[in-house]
């Protein structure tokens, strides 16, 4: 039998060409090139069906729709849900319009978000912090009242601080798709919408703890870990155990000799690779329970990588980042045979501003 | 002279009953279509008529119908959008309440054309009394053999279901409507896929406005060409205009597309002019979502021509000097109306009605409302107007559904055309917050026409 | 469809028959479509949509209670908190305001001695502000249950309140 290979589509993102299978989204095509051209994603979460399209962080400009119809698309599109066409040309950070729109999205996400990262448990591993650092303006123009909520316990393990929620719906999809019964959801609408259980109810389910890992901000946090430490003082280690409920493959977070937190393992896009059960996450915190696999590969987005958020460092321009992308191995797992870097006009290397 | 395609028999006593409607020639289009025409032929007539969607977007109805996917063994659906919630629009309410059988006849003809055997009319829940009227009419039509199995012996089956909404403007957006019809929150869907491919219950679906569907019986009886002969250019046929605000005769009027805006406002046949002793200040011509225009710009285009009630003429000049026909919600303001207050009111509406799924609309609508509220109540700052324009710009085009645009346009256009009035609120808050105070400054833009 | 339930709130036999009729009108397996109509039915019976009633509806439709709560809190017509005997849903949107809607609204609030969102102490009236009711040419407008009251004036408001208070 002959191997029938599907016709691959050629897509160009910020001047870099990549070949992907039909049906791939712009975001996934860009991720295939590497983190430096991948649009930020605050709601899209690859393992969760139906996620994406909501936060608008991943907006890109399609400068040419396809080889057949090379007209630009009239509006910016959400790259996480828009499928590529053959010959599509996409502008991510090389488009001033995209940068302007993202600045807007950061601002919108922050107007009702407290600006108190120092007291938030998610600080250091927060997608919103990263997004705001990369794309936001330095100052807020918002002077109205902010929306606030009381903290709320969803059962013995999970705490909800709705004030920090950005309504990405990831935890709702997780409960729908990973657990066998969803008891929390989105209540109300517009900017009065909130995550909740309506009548007080514990989220009680073998896999409920996964909502903590998918939450991009500090809205859903692990009560068994809260305020025990800051993530940048911890050391992550991959480990596994024989678990009757889940794969048992986890990341252990050490402070000194003590396991202070257990999470699922995440890929370089901060997405859980295999969801884990509550027993592994909350009840199994002795080193002797686990077989250690080795140190966790730290994702680029993590604060654990050196010099994150250093104010004295100038943000590299797009050109500099692109140059860096060309010379450093950016994604060890990628198939380089499918990458070809086009000759870029020199003005593309100018600082975007 | 005005043709009455939809409202010809509206004044006939008892027209809401089957018998009277039938006596006036009702249901002949069903007979003609089911007995003598193929579904394709019906689609063809509607295409020829050139009728454009009356729900706001103005997309050609025949073309929409021909896009409907037709995979084997999968049901297709027709859903009538009777969610009518756009401020200033009340024509569908009027039509369904007075002429329920016209809509039902249109639903039968349209469903037949699309090959749908179960069709829905999604009515906003507040109009529960209209739902009862429709359900009664459906029962009558069924008893007379125009609905149910094997209609008129043609072998065609159709069931009509009237579905109530629960109170949400966003369910007028077609994919939010489908979600709602599936018993969910009215969150618009990401597109693609479009409803023509995956709509209700993931099956191919056409969503059309009440008024659009109600044109089909006349088109079948008189032919698409006869319909296309009415109107001007690509604005064919007649349109129901809901007229409200500071006019002598608010109400629903059926006009030939192509009537001049000036005639529509001042002629006795329609609005009958501005309230006695007052003069025209501004008009929102197509429902709250479309840009507001000052008197001079609504009456004449930038080129100095008379503006007409057509899709093309109203949008002449783009957003700089033009607006849109939209849903035909024609709101008239005289010189006593405060544009700042009205803009805040509309901003509050969109803030209240945003579904909250996507961040620019969820957060941006609330932000705009709060800033406008401050300005209206005398706490505006110098930089607020530029801020509002910038926030509107950052919402526009960046959202899942057009509600974001609909929220941004009224704010951006009001500041574009009435900047002085906003500035006055910021500069002289004490004066502007007096009860009943209205900007009296440069009224040169107002039409100098007292009626 | 279940008819047996432990819920404290249940439909009356007539309403249950009506509910089953509604559920039957959707295609096989799509019974969740009946959710909005059933919530209207619940509200018609109870005056509002208490949690026990929503759990009962969830049971009838074989869906999770949270799916009902999510929907009931999204749509503005459902009263998820107890309300007075008569809920006056007053249109506050632009076109009605042009017709004097704000002045009449002030009168209504003064007449009942409550603000929007409140209920009179005798539990007779609740005022709820709503957006455009698709009757802008006949404004000002409010709605009490299914009935539209249009062309409102201060006098007309007094008459209607008197009528309802009887
Ligand atoms: C926020 C929003 C609200 C809408 N409300 C309505 C409505 O109340 N009635 C309506 O017919 N169309 C409404 N529309 C337009 C519909 O999405 C859709 O275009 C229309 O129902 C298609 O029918 P038509 O082609 O016959 O106009 C709305 C659109 C948006 C974005
Ligand atoms: S709680 Fe977290 S995961 Fe859930 S919607 Fe909010 S931000 Fe998203
Ligand atoms: S634009 Fe507004 S209404 Fe539309 S999907 Fe986004 S949040 Fe919802
Ligand atoms: S990641 Fe694409 S819209 Fe949120
Ligand atoms: S504005 Fe009150 S009914 Fe439309």
């Amino acid at each position: 039998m002959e191997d029938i290979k599907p016709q691959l589509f050629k897509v160009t993102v910020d001047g870099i060409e990549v070949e992907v299978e039909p049906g791939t989204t712009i975001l996934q095509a860009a991720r295939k090139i590497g983190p430096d051209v991948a649009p930020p994603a605050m709601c899209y979460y690859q393992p969760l069906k139906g996620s994406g399209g909501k936060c608008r962080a991943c907006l890109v400009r399609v400068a040419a729709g396809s080889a057949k119809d090379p007209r630009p698309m009239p509006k910016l599109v959400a790259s996480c849900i828009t499928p590529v066409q053959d010959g599509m040309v996409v502008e991510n950070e090389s488009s001033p319009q995209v940068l302007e729109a993202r600045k807007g999205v950061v601002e919108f996400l922050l107007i009702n978000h407290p600006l108190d990262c120092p007291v938030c448990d998610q600080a250091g591993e927060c997608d919103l912090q990263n997004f705001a650092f990369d794309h936001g303006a330095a100052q807020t123009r918002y002077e109205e009242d902010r929306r606030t909520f009381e903290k709320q316990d969803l059962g013995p393990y999970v705490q909800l601080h709705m004030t920090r929620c950005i309504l990405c719906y990831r935890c709702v999809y997780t409960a729908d798709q990973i657990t066998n019964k969803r008891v929390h959801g989105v209540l109300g609408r517009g900017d009065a919408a909130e995550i909740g259980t309506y009548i007080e109810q514990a989220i009680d389910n073998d896999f409920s703890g996964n909502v903590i890992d998918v939450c991009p901000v500090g809205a859903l946090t692990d009560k068994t870990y809260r305020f025990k430490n800051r993530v940048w003082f911890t050391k992550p280690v991959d480990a596994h155990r024989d678990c009757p409920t889940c794969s048992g493959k986890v990341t252990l977070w050490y402070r000194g000799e003590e396991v202070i937190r257990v999470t699922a393992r995440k890929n370089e896009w901060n997405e859980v690779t295999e969801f884990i059960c509550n027993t592994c996450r909350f009840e199994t915190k002795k080193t002797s329970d686990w077989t250690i696999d080795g140190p966790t590969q730290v994702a680029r987005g993590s604060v654990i990588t050196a010099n994150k958020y250093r104010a004295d460092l100038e943000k590299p321009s797009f050109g500099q980042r692109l140059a860096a992308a060309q010379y450093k191995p950016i994604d060890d797992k990628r198939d380089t045979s499918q990458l070809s870097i086009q000759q870029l006009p020199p003005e593309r290397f100018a600082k975007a501003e | 002279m005005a043709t009455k395609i939809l409202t010809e028999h509206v004044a006939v006593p008892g027209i809401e009953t089957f018998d009277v409607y039938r006596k006036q020639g009702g249901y002949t289009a069903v007979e003609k279509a089911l007995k003598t025409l193929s579904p394709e032929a019906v689609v063809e007539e509607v295409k020829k008529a050139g009728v454009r969607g009356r729900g706001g977007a103005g997309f050609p109805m025949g073309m929409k119908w021909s896009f409907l996917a037709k995979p084997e063994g999968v049901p297709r659906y027709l859903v009538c959008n009777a969610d009518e919630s756009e401020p200033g629009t009340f024509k569908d309410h009027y039509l369904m309440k007075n002429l329920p059988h016209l809509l039902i006849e249109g639903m039968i003809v349209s469903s037949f054309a699309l090959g749908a055997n179960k069709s829905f009319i999604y009515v906003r829940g507040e109009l529960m009394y209209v739902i009862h009227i429709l359900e009664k009419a459906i029962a009558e039509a069924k008893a007379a053999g125009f609905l149910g199995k094997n209609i008129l012996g043609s072998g065609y089956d159709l069931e009509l279901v009237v579905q109530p909404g629960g109170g949400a403007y966003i369910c007028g957006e077609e994919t939010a409507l489908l979600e709602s019809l599936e018993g969910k929150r009215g969150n618009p869907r990401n597109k693609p896929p479009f409803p023509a491919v995956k709509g209700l219950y993931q099956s191919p679906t056409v969503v059309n406005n009440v008024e659009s569907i109600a044109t089909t019986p006349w088109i079948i009886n008189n032919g698409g060409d006869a319909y296309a002969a009415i109107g001007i250019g690509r604005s064919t046929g007649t349109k129901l205009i809901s007229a409200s605000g500071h006019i002598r005769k608010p109400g629903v009027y059926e006009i030939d597309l192509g009537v001049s805006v000036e005639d529509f406002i001042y002629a006795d046949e329609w609005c009958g002019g501005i309230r006695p002793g007052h003069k025209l200040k501004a008009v929102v011509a197509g429902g709250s979502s479309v840009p507001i225009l000052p008197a001079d710009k609504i009456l004449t285009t930038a080129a100095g021509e008379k503006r007409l009630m057509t899709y093309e003429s109203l949008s002449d000049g783009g957003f700089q000097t033009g607006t849109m026909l939209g849903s035909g919600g024609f709101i008239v303001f005289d010189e006593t109306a405060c544009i700042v207050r009205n803009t805040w009111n509309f901003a509050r509406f969109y803030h209240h009605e945003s579904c909250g799924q996507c961040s620019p609309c969820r957060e941006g609508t609330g932000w705009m409302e709060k800033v406008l509220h401050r300005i209206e109540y005398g706490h505006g700052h110098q930089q607020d107007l530029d801020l509002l324009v910038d926030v509107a710009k950052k919402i526009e085009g960046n959202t899942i559904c057009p509600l974001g645009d609909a929220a941004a346009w009224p704010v951006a256009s009001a500041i574009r055309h009435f900047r002085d009035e906003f500035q006055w609120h910021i500069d002289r808050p004490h004066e502007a917050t007096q009860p009943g105070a209205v900007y009296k400054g440069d009224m040169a833009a107002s039409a100098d026409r007292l009626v | 469809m279940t008819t047996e339930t432990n819920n404290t709130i249940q439909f009356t036999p007539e309403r249950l028959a009506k509910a089953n009729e509604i559920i039957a009108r959707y295609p096989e397996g799509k019974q969740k479509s009946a959710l909005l109509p059933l919530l209207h039915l619940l509200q018609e019976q109870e005056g509002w949509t208490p949690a026990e009633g929503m759990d009962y509806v969830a049971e009838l439709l074989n869906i999770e209670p949270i799916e009902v709560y999510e929907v009931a809190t999204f749509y503005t017509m459902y009263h998820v908190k107890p309300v007075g005997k008569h809920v006056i849903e007053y249109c506050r949107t632009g076109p009605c305001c042009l017709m004097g809607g704000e002045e009449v609204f002030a009168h209504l609030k003064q007449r009942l001695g409550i603000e929007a969102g409140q209920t009179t102490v005798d539990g007779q009236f609740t005022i709820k502000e709503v957006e455009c009711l698709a009757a802008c040419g006949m404004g000002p407008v409010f709605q009490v249950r299914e009935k539209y009251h249009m062309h409102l004036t201060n006098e007309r408001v007094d008459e209607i309140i008197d009528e309802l208070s009887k």
Side-chain angles (χ1 to χ4, degrees):
Chain A
M1 267 240 315
E2 223 183 323
D3 221 14
I4 308 168
K5 256 196 148 176
Q7 174 76 44
L8 292 180
F9 282 175
K10 268 203 186 69
V11 189
T12 311
V13 186
D14 279 351
I16 306 175
E17 206 175 88
V18 64
E19 288 195 333
V20 294
E21 280 176 22
T24 308
T25 58
I26 297 174
L27 183 102
Q28 288 298 357
R31 281 184 175 182
K32 198 165 170 192
I33 298 174
D36 285 336
V37 293
M42 299 296 300
C43 68
Y44 171 78
Y45 206 70
Q46 196 267 331
L48 298 172
K49 224 176 125 248
S51 65
K54 299 193 192 321
C55 71
R56 316 309 278 181
C58 69
L59 289 173
V60 294
R61 191 175 108 86
V62 176
S66 67
K68 271 201 222 99
D69 181 3
R71 286 176 304 175
M73 289 194 182
K75 291 182 189 178
L76 301 184
V77 300
S79 59
C80 64
I81 49 165
T82 309
V84 297
Q85 301 295 332
D86 195 23
M88 189 183 262
V89 178
V90 177
E91 294 173 0
N92 179 36
E93 290 186 29
S94 57
S95 157
Q97 195 192 347
V98 169
L99 293 178
E100 190 61 20
R102 285 203 193 138
K103 213 162 142 199
V105 174
V106 171
E107 196 170 25
F108 288 136
L109 287 176
L110 290 179
I111 64 174
N112 270 318
H113 194 92
L115 302 177
D116 59 355
C117 299
V119 304
C120 174
D121 239 4
Q122 193 89 357
E125 48 181 359
C126 173
D127 289 348
L128 184 56
Q129 227 177 8
N130 293 343
F131 181 42
F133 183 75
D134 288 342
H135 291 278
Q139 265 178 340
T140 176
R141 299 180 290 173
Y142 187 74
E143 50 175 277
E144 325 303 325
D145 290 341
R146 284 168 200 276
R147 174 181 80 141
T148 52
F149 296 85
E150 291 296 308
K151 290 180 185 144
Q152 198 186 333
D153 282 340
L154 303 177
Y157 299 129
V158 184
Q159 185 176 67
L160 168 67
H161 193 192
M162 185 54 214
T163 308
R164 301 186 191 282
C165 170
I166 59 159
L167 288 167
C168 70
Y169 285 60
R170 282 181 187 174
C171 58
V172 180
Y173 290 115
T174 304
D176 259 342
Q177 294 169 29
I178 312 297
T179 74
N180 56 16
K181 184 173 153 74
R182 177 159 72 88
V183 298
H184 85 288
V186 182
L187 305 170
R189 75 173 182 216
D191 63 5
E194 57 176 302
I195 294 291
T197 51
Y198 194 66
I199 43 175
E200 205 166 298
Q201 206 166 351
I203 298 185
D204 178 20
N205 193 292
D206 273 351
F207 284 87
S208 63
N210 288 297
V211 296
I212 298 165
D213 282 345
V214 302
C215 185
V217 292
L220 291 169
T221 46
D222 182 343
K223 274 176 72 182
T224 66
Y225 168 72
R226 274 184 70 76
F227 304 127
K228 279 222 174 99
N229 215 314
R230 308 304 314 201
V231 61
W232 50 87
F233 297 135
T234 60
K235 196 177 72 173
V237 170
D238 281 355
H240 71 269
R241 72 180 190 110
D242 248 347
C243 175
T245 324
C246 69
S247 71
K249 291 185 189 149
V250 302
T251 298
L252 305 178
W253 298 77
Y254 277 95
R255 182 181 55 193
E257 297 297 299
E258 189 193 354
V259 176
I260 55 166
R261 176 170 77 151
V262 181
T263 67
R265 293 188 196 173
K266 292 187 173 183
N267 65 14
E268 63 175 315
W269 312 110
N270 231 351
E271 291 166 347
V272 167
T273 47
E274 273 171 285
F275 291 100
I276 60 169
C277 71
N278 283 3
T279 315
C280 285
R281 182 187 303 271
F282 300 117
E283 311 286 351
T284 323
K285 292 202 177 171
K286 286 203 297 287
T287 303
S288 57
D289 296 330
W290 298 95
T291 314
I292 306 291
D293 299 327
T296 301
Q297 285 220 334
V298 176
R300 298 188 140 234
S302 169
V303 72
I304 300 178
T305 55
N307 297 334
K308 186 90 183 152
Y309 305 135
R310 266 180 55 190
D312 57 330
L313 284 184
E314 230 183 279
K315 260 198 257 179
S317 71
F318 167 71
Q320 288 166 326
R321 271 188 273 172
L322 182 70
Q326 292 184 23
Y327 294 114
K328 263 199 243 154
I330 47 178
D331 173 7
D332 297 352
K333 276 161 279 173
R334 77 204 153 116
D335 176 4
T336 44
S337 64
Q338 285 179 7
L339 270 177
S340 75
I341 293 168
Q342 284 187 334
Q343 196 63 39
L344 278 175
E347 62 270 21
R348 276 278 172 77
F349 290 86
K351 258 183 98 161
E353 227 89 46
Chain B
M1 202 50 253
T3 333
K4 295 278 185 271
I5 284 180
L6 304 167
T7 56
E8 190 185 348
H9 304 297
V10 73
V12 178
I15 191 71
E16 70 283 357
T17 62
F18 178 85
D19 293 337
V20 176
Y21 181 76
R22 180 88 173 123
K23 255 194 221 110
Q24 298 294 330
Y27 288 99
T28 47
V30 175
E31 290 172 316
K32 183 169 174 187
L34 266 58
K35 287 185 179 159
T36 67
L37 297 174
S38 68
E40 294 73 27
V42 176
V43 175
E44 207 42 51
E45 285 306 318
V46 172
K47 262 192 182 163
K48 268 199 253 165
V51 52
R52 289 166 69 174
R54 303 298 194 215
F59 192 82
M61 182 151 132
M63 203 175 337
K64 184 188 264 187
W65 285 11
S66 57
F67 288 158
L68 184 69
K70 300 198 165 116
E72 273 306 305
V74 180
R76 303 190 277 276
Y77 294 104
L78 170 66
V79 179
C80 172
N81 188 341
D83 189 57
E84 189 166 66
S85 312
E86 169 108 352
T89 315
F90 46 101
K91 62 180 178 89
D92 298 339
H93 178 184
Y94 171 86
L95 198 75
M96 292 187 290
K97 171 185 145 199
N98 293 304
L99 294 161
H101 282 286
L102 178 64
L103 176 61
I104 292 165
E105 185 176 5
M107 286 298 286
I108 302 171
V109 171
S110 307
S111 304
F112 172 71
L114 297 166
N117 299 110
K118 194 184 269 289
S119 297
F120 295 86
I121 307 175
Y122 181 99
V123 186
R124 62 178 299 178
E126 292 88 343
L127 291 177
M128 201 55 91
Y129 85 97
V130 173
I131 292 177
H132 298 322
I133 292 175
L134 285 171
E135 279 176 341
K136 184 158 166 275
I138 287 173
E140 288 175 343
K142 199 166 180 169
F146 285 96
L147 280 170
K149 292 246 174 288
N150 192 16
I151 300 169
L152 306 178
S154 65
Y156 175 64
D157 307 336
L158 177 66
E159 231 189 291
L160 279 187
V161 176
V162 186
Q163 177 86 355
Y169 164 64
I170 188 58
C171 291
E173 196 278 340
E174 54 186 11
T175 59
L177 186 152
L178 297 177
E179 287 284 294
S180 179
L181 187 42
E182 291 181 8
K184 302 181 199 154
R185 296 161 60 82
N187 286 348
R189 296 177 183 169
N190 284 312
K191 285 151 281 218
F194 289 93
V197 180
K198 283 202 163 101
L200 183 63
Y201 309 131
Q202 296 296 306
S203 291
T205 303
V206 165
V207 180
N208 270 129
N209 174 256
V210 172
E211 187 188 346
S212 313
I213 289 172
T215 59
T216 55
W218 195 93
I219 292 172
I220 293 310
N221 283 330
N222 300 275
D225 291 329
Y227 189 88
I230 308 165
I232 295 181
R234 288 186 56 233
S235 295
T236 62
T238 66
K239 172 93 189 74
L240 293 179
I241 305 290
S242 324
S244 65
H246 293 143
I247 44 176
R248 281 186 39 228
K249 298 194 302 167
V252 176
Y253 299 103
E254 182 171 8
I255 59 162
D256 285 13
L257 285 168
V259 169
S260 79
V261 173
E262 186 173 347
D263 283 350
F264 183 69
I265 297 175
Y266 292 105
D268 275 339
E269 193 179 349
W270 299 299
C271 302
I274 309 301
R275 303 188 288 179
H278 294 278
K279 57 183 186 171
L280 178 64
K281 179 176 185 180
V283 170
V284 170
S288 61
S289 304
V290 310
I292 187 171
L293 286 185
D296 58 337
K297 293 201 174 60
I298 188 69
L299 295 177
T300 47
T301 64
E305 284 162 11
K306 271 195 170 194
R307 212 184 271 283
L308 309 179
M309 300 286 281
T310 63
Y311 291 95
E312 293 76 18
S313 180
L314 281 170
S315 58
D316 184 90
F319 277 7
Q320 279 313 308
T321 58
T323 179
M324 291 190 292
L325 177 59
S327 60
F330 198 88
I331 312 166
V332 179
F333 303 80
D334 69 18
E335 82 290 350
T336 63
C338 173
I339 300 300
V340 176
R341 189 163 187 82
N342 188 71
T343 309
W344 162 61
N345 186 294
F346 282 180
R348 180 177 65 181
F349 172 81
Y350 291 103
H351 176 203
H352 186 256
E353 298 299 328
S354 163
C355 84
Q357 255 191 122
C358 55
S359 29
C361 171
R362 178 182 67 236
E363 307 294 348
T365 51
W367 192 357
M368 289 196 301
E369 190 216 318
K370 286 174 191 159
V371 174
L372 283 162
H373 183 268
R374 258 200 299 107
I375 298 176
E376 166 66 12
Y377 284 91
H379 305 290
H381 312 315
Q382 207 47 52
Q383 64 275 23
D384 280 344
L385 297 184
D386 290 335
L387 174 67
L388 281 171
V389 171
D390 190 61
V391 171
K393 202 170 90 206
K394 288 198 161 115
I395 301 173
E396 188 185 338
N398 291 340
T399 53
I400 296 178
C401 88
L403 188 139
D405 304 345
W409 293 338
V411 175
S413 63
I415 296 177
R416 185 181 308 126
H417 298 301
F418 296 92
R419 199 169 178 116
D420 290 353
E421 193 166 338
F422 283 87
Q423 197 61 51
W424 178 68
H425 277 74
I426 294 171
D427 293 345
R428 334 232 356 205
H430 186 69
E431 219 174 290
T433 50
Q434 295 300 317
V438 176
Y439 180 60
K440 296 274 192 314
D442 175 23
M443 293 290 285
S446 304
D448 204 23
R449 186 165 172 179
L450 283 171
V451 173
Chain C
M1 274 159 273
T2 30
T3 41
E4 305 225 341
T5 171
N6 304 321
N7 274 308
T8 45
I9 292 181
Q10 296 181 23
F11 282 145
T12 57
E14 305 81 64
R15 285 210 180 77
L16 185 61
K18 173 97 190 144
N20 285 331
E21 197 184 301
I22 291 172
I23 294 169
R25 65 191 193 190
Y26 306 100
E28 196 60 36
K30 309 294 182 198
Q31 79 284 5
K32 192 179 170 184
S33 281
L35 180 48
L36 272 71
L38 257 53
L39 282 172
H40 282 302
L41 213 54
L42 174 68
Q43 182 152 307
E44 181 191 288
Q45 175 173 313
E46 301 293 323
W48 62 302
T49 57
E52 296 81 16
M54 293 199 264
D55 293 349
Y56 171 67
V57 168
E59 219 171 276
L60 283 181
L61 296 178
N62 200 15
I63 56 180
E64 297 296 342
I66 185 70
E67 297 178 68
V68 183
Y69 310 149
E70 282 185 323
V71 164
T73 55
F74 183 90
Y75 297 95
T76 49
M77 285 182 74
Y78 303 117
H79 313 310
V80 292
K81 301 248 166 65
V83 286
K85 183 167 163 218
H86 306 291
V87 183
I88 298 178
E89 294 177 288
Y90 194 94
C91 171
R92 66 177 188 187
T93 316
C96 272
C97 296
L98 294 180
M99 311 297 284
E102 286 170 308
E103 292 74 29
V104 174
F105 193 37
H107 176 76
L108 171 70
K109 289 191 285 194
Q110 199 193 1
R111 163 76 206 253
L112 293 177
I114 51 173
E115 286 300 315
Q118 297 180 338
T119 302
T120 52
V121 277
D122 60 3
Q124 283 294 301
F125 293 97
T126 299
I127 301 180
K128 196 165 164 180
E129 276 181 294
V130 297
E131 300 289 356
C132 179
L133 288 167
C136 328
M138 292 75 84
V141 181
F142 69 55
Q143 182 175 23
V144 182
R145 288 232 166 176
E146 289 180 14
K147 177 125 182 71
Y148 272 61
H149 298 273
M150 303 187 274
H151 300 293
L152 294 173
T153 57
N154 292 356
E155 297 72 46
R156 195 64 202 109
V157 165
D158 287 338
E159 280 168 29
I160 296 165
I161 299 290
D162 290 341
E163 187 65 30
L164 290 171
S165 304
K166 272 182 199 151

